[in-house]
Amino acid sequence: METRELAYFAAVAEELHFGRAAERLGIAQPPLSRAIQKLERRLGVLLFDRSGRRVVLTPAGEVLAREAAKALDAVAAAEHRTRRAGLTEPRLVVALKPGGDGALLPDILAAYQECPDALPVEVVLCGVAERARLLRDGTADVAFLHSPWEDLTGFDTEPLLVEGGVAVVPTRHPLAARPFVHLADLDADPIPRWPDPRASESRTSDPRAFEPRTSERQASGPHVASGLRAGDAAQLMQLVALGRMIAVVPESVKEQVRRDLACVPVVDAAPTTVVLAWPEQTRSPALAAFVRTAADVAAGDVARRPAVEPGIR
Amino acid sequence: METRELAYFAAVAEELHFGRAAERLGIAQPPLSRAIQKLERRLGVLLFDRSGRRVVLTPAGEVLAREAAKALDAVAAAEHRTRRAGLTEPRLVVALKPGGDGALLPDILAAYQECPDALPVEVVLCGVAERARLLRDGTADVAFLHSPWEDLTGFDTEPLLVEGGVAVVPTRHPLAARPFVHLADLDADPIPRWPDPRASESRTSDPRAFEPRTSERQASGPHVASGLRAGDAAQLMQLVALGRMIAVVPESVKEQVRRDLACVPVVDAAPTTVVLAWPEQTRSPALAAFVRTAADVAAGDVARRPAVEPGIR
DNA sequence: AGGATCGATACCCTACGGGTATGGAGACGC
DNA sequence: GCGTCTCCATACCCGTAGGGTATCGATCCT
């Protein structure tokens, strides 16, 4: 199976439309149809059901959709990491989303530069959906991720700090004046909550926690059950400002929310762990030093400032 | 990067000889040379140093060798798993090396067939080197592996039982009559030991345990420092019978050694854990049931028979 | 120095991947 | 119910990427 075929299949599997997939791939539709047919013949398996008006994945197609994503990431990783290994001036690439570092990054960078085998650090800012991907496809060496929000399979991790949650509400909202709230207070409010509590099924890789197949590829971006969708944090905050949504976010992003919104600690929100993640089996002294200093900085930081508002727990 | 290119590169990286690699790939040597050159041009990186008489990997080539192996496994896995998903009669494929199940498999299979969502089980016997590969490339769903001998990264695991080690020696060897020995006794003997104690550096994926690069691809098969090599267990046992080697193996394989060899418990040998391993993120009720029953059977088994000879520890 | 070994280059050829044009089947409207 | 639109499949043509054979050239050994 060639990578090109996998990429073609992945495009059709995402679009569920040969024409649009072909457009995205920059080729015409007929060769795409033929490529998928050829793939199906070689595998001896139907991947799509095109009998009806809509193109839909067969069970085998669902399997290949998951596997193809992994395989394409692995191939991209091979390419990226080899390219980077060939550079005369090696770098350490750190990926994070804005505010995703729990305000630790400046201290970490400062401490890291003192290390004997420190490399120049390149910081890549990206959206929530890209972070894990950058790590999986070899663009980044290490990333700040949020457990349990993000899938950590395939990564080794170092937990840095545990954060409670704060509810982001409009300043004039009745809850805005409270010193703290419970999740039940938010549930009692008619405004829908993000993230959607109903969508928070636990994702574990233990097969004993079997759950029927769902289309998971799309589930990365913030979205809500009511049909409202927010493409990024700014849009989400706009929805909050409009009184259409209440967001529950890790407390460290509190500093970055708009002035016209209020943050109220949610005492029983599921805690978020900010973890440093890197690909399994990595052997790099530069990365090792980075992880070590990050852990040290985080430990020192926790010692200096209490993690949660005193007196609440 | 196409899979074909990766496969070509991997072949050359293993053979370190364009002619032999081409032969193995079933193509002529010139197209292989060109393909590698093209790859190097596209990546902007030299992968091999062909200046001398020997072809040798550059640092970037070493990186790609590791990454290519992973990527090719992922692609093969996509293919195998999709094929298997298309079968009308799904099966559960279990991989193990002879004796690698700690004598648990018959009981596990019997108990498993009672489960509501049990599938027909196909048992694949293979050598020590293939086992992990079968799992990584999607040929098998689950495998019995030996920790810490085998690399478990990328797998989820369930430990089944912990075994001590026994030394396999010729019946007339002085140690054969002893009720037990220590590793020091073996070290005192002039006959070399397998596995080679000097080669047993710990393999962890934590980058803090950085170790300089070694050529690891080859290190899977049994081999010894003295230049003697045993391709499989039978050859190893032959070497033992010839008095050229002493083997230390998990105690459960004791039942299978030749009549003309003696087994002596090694009280301070590193314990081996027989684990059931399956790919991360697997979601299959059949596999879940298999893992659960295997864990139950192993637990019951340990309860029934003491794991180690009583009185030794 | 001469030969052997082994990778690179030159040249040709086939087959595969891609494009355009068109067919044909399902969903929908009037 | 027939036309129509949509969308995937088929037919046919073309260019080039990838493979083969012959040969060169460099390195190392004797």
Side-chain angles (χ1 to χ4, degrees):
Chain A
M1 249 189 332
E2 291 303 309
T3 357
R4 184 172 24 78
E5 301 179 285
L6 284 175
Y8 284 7
F9 169 80
V12 179
E14 277 185 41
E15 298 281 352
L16 292 177
H17 189 289
F18 281 72
R20 278 194 295 276
E23 190 181 4
R24 217 176 75 177
L25 293 166
I27 64 171
Q29 170 260 317
L32 179 57
S33 286
R34 273 179 307 176
I36 300 293
Q37 287 175 331
K38 189 170 171 182
L39 193 57
E40 288 178 321
R41 269 203 314 276
R42 266 220 314 278
L43 294 174
V45 165
L46 268 186
L47 298 172
F48 296 101
D49 178 7
R50 308 103 146 143
S51 67
R53 187 133 186 81
R54 274 180 58 76
V55 173
V56 61
L57 282 164
T58 62
E62 300 259 11
V63 169
L64 186 55
R66 277 199 299 276
E67 298 291 327
K70 281 193 271 183
L72 289 172
D73 276 344
V75 172
E79 182 160 346
H80 288 135
R81 298 198 178 118
T82 307
R83 273 223 174 79
R84 301 247 317 277
L87 294 180
T88 51
E89 174 69 28
R91 306 182 161 280
L92 193 72
V93 179
V94 183
L96 70 158
K97 79 160 205 278
D101 61 338
L104 291 170
L105 190 54
D107 290 350
I108 294 173
L109 288 180
Y112 177 63
Q113 294 305 339
E114 307 300 316
C115 291
D117 38 18
L119 293 178
V121 172
E122 188 171 331
V123 175
V124 177
L125 290 170
C126 60
V128 120
E130 292 101 301
R131 254 178 325 178
R133 167 154 296 257
L134 289 182
L135 213 49
R136 290 188 203 280
D137 77 3
T139 308
D141 296 305
V142 60
F144 288 88
L145 300 183
H146 285 353
S147 171
W149 301 107
E150 282 166 301
D151 180 11
L152 299 181
T153 53
F155 299 141
D156 285 329
T157 56
E158 176 80 30
L160 295 184
L161 55 89
V162 178
E163 297 187 298
V166 295
V168 185
V169 295
T171 319
R172 54 186 53 188
H173 189 279
L175 291 178
R178 302 267 294 269
F180 59 86
V181 296
H182 289 82
L183 284 177
D185 299 322
L186 303 180
D187 288 333
D189 198 289
I191 304 177
R193 192 166 109 209
W194 183 91
D196 183 4
R198 281 167 297 176
S200 71
E201 294 153 33
S202 75
R203 297 268 158 78
T204 135
S205 70
D206 186 337
R208 278 166 290 189
F210 174 78
E211 60 192 52
R213 295 196 176 94
T214 52
S215 68
E216 304 193 58
R217 294 288 321 265
Q218 334 265 19
S220 35
H223 69 282
V224 288
S226 59
L228 292 172
R229 283 176 179 275
D232 61 18
Q235 293 175 26
L236 178 63
M237 290 301 131
Q238 182 65 38
L239 286 176
V240 173
L242 292 170
R244 308 295 299 271
M245 186 89 62
I246 291 180
V248 178
V249 300
E251 56 186 333
S252 72
V253 310
K254 188 164 58 175
E255 308 305 322
Q256 290 150 23
V257 305
R258 299 158 40 157
R259 293 265 166 71
D260 57 345
L261 300 178
C263 293
V264 188
V266 183
V267 292
D268 56 351
T272 297
T273 306
V274 176
V275 303
L276 209 51
W278 61 94
E280 285 177 338
Q281 286 188 306
T282 307
R283 252 179 242 115
S284 144
L287 175 57
F290 187 85
V291 172
R292 200 177 328 110
T293 57
D296 291 347
V297 167
D301 215 59
V302 168
R304 259 183 282 117
R305 66 152 196 221
V308 265
E309 328 280 305
I312 287 194
R313 298 203 181 175
Chain B
M1 245 185 338
E2 291 304 308
T3 23
R4 183 172 25 78
E5 300 178 286
L6 284 175
Y8 285 6
F9 169 80
V12 180
E14 278 185 40
E15 299 282 353
L16 292 177
H17 188 289
F18 280 73
R20 280 194 294 275
E23 190 181 3
R24 218 177 74 177
L25 293 166
I27 65 172
Q29 170 259 318
L32 179 58
S33 285
R34 273 179 307 174
I36 301 294
Q37 288 175 336
K38 188 171 170 182
L39 192 58
E40 289 178 321
R41 269 204 314 277
R42 265 221 314 278
L43 293 174
V45 166
L46 268 187
L47 298 172
F48 296 100
D49 178 8
R50 306 101 145 151
S51 66
R53 187 138 188 77
R54 273 182 56 77
V55 174
V56 61
L57 282 163
T58 62
E62 300 259 13
V63 169
L64 185 57
R66 278 199 300 275
E67 297 291 327
K70 280 194 271 182
L72 289 172
D73 276 343
V75 172
E79 183 161 346
H80 287 137
R81 299 199 178 118
T82 307
R83 272 223 174 81
R84 301 247 316 277
L87 294 181
T88 51
E89 175 69 27
R91 305 180 162 282
L92 193 71
V93 179
V94 183
L96 70 159
K97 79 161 204 274
D101 61 338
L104 292 170
L105 190 55
D107 290 349
I108 293 174
L109 288 181
Y112 177 62
Q113 294 304 341
E114 307 300 316
C115 290
D117 38 18
L119 293 178
V121 173
E122 188 171 331
V123 176
V124 178
L125 290 172
C126 58
V128 116
E130 294 99 301
R131 254 180 325 178
R133 166 154 297 258
L134 289 182
L135 212 50
R136 291 188 202 279
D137 77 5
T139 306
D141 296 305
V142 61
F144 289 89
L145 300 183
H146 285 351
S147 171
W149 302 106
E150 283 167 299
D151 180 11
L152 299 180
T153 53
F155 299 142
D156 285 329
T157 56
E158 177 79 32
L160 295 184
L161 56 88
V162 178
E163 297 186 298
V166 295
V168 186
V169 295
T171 319
R172 54 186 54 189
H173 189 279
L175 292 177
R178 300 267 294 269
F180 59 88
V181 296
H182 289 81
L183 286 177
D185 299 322
L186 303 180
D187 287 333
D189 198 288
I191 305 178
R193 193 167 108 209
W194 183 92
D196 183 4
R198 279 168 296 177
S200 72
E201 295 154 31
S202 74
R203 297 268 158 79
T204 135
S205 70
D206 186 338
R208 279 166 289 188
F210 172 79
E211 62 192 49
R213 294 197 175 93
T214 53
S215 69
E216 304 194 57
R217 293 291 318 264
Q218 332 265 20
S220 35
H223 69 281
V224 288
S226 59
L228 293 173
R229 282 176 180 275
D232 62 17
Q235 293 176 26
L236 177 62
M237 290 302 133
Q238 183 65 39
L239 285 176
V240 173
L242 292 170
R244 308 294 300 271
M245 185 91 60
I246 291 180
V248 178
V249 301
E251 55 185 334
S252 72
V253 309
K254 187 166 56 176
E255 309 304 323
Q256 290 148 25
V257 305
R258 298 158 40 156
R259 291 263 167 70
D260 57 345
L261 299 179
C263 293
V264 188
V266 182
V267 292
D268 55 351
T272 297
T273 305
V274 176
V275 302
L276 209 52
W278 61 95
E280 285 177 339
Q281 285 190 306
T282 307
R283 251 178 244 117
S284 145
L287 175 57
F290 188 86
V291 173
R292 202 178 326 111
T293 58
D296 291 348
V297 167
D301 216 60
V302 167
R304 259 183 281 119
R305 67 154 196 219
V308 266
E309 327 280 307
I312 288 196
R313 299 204 180 174

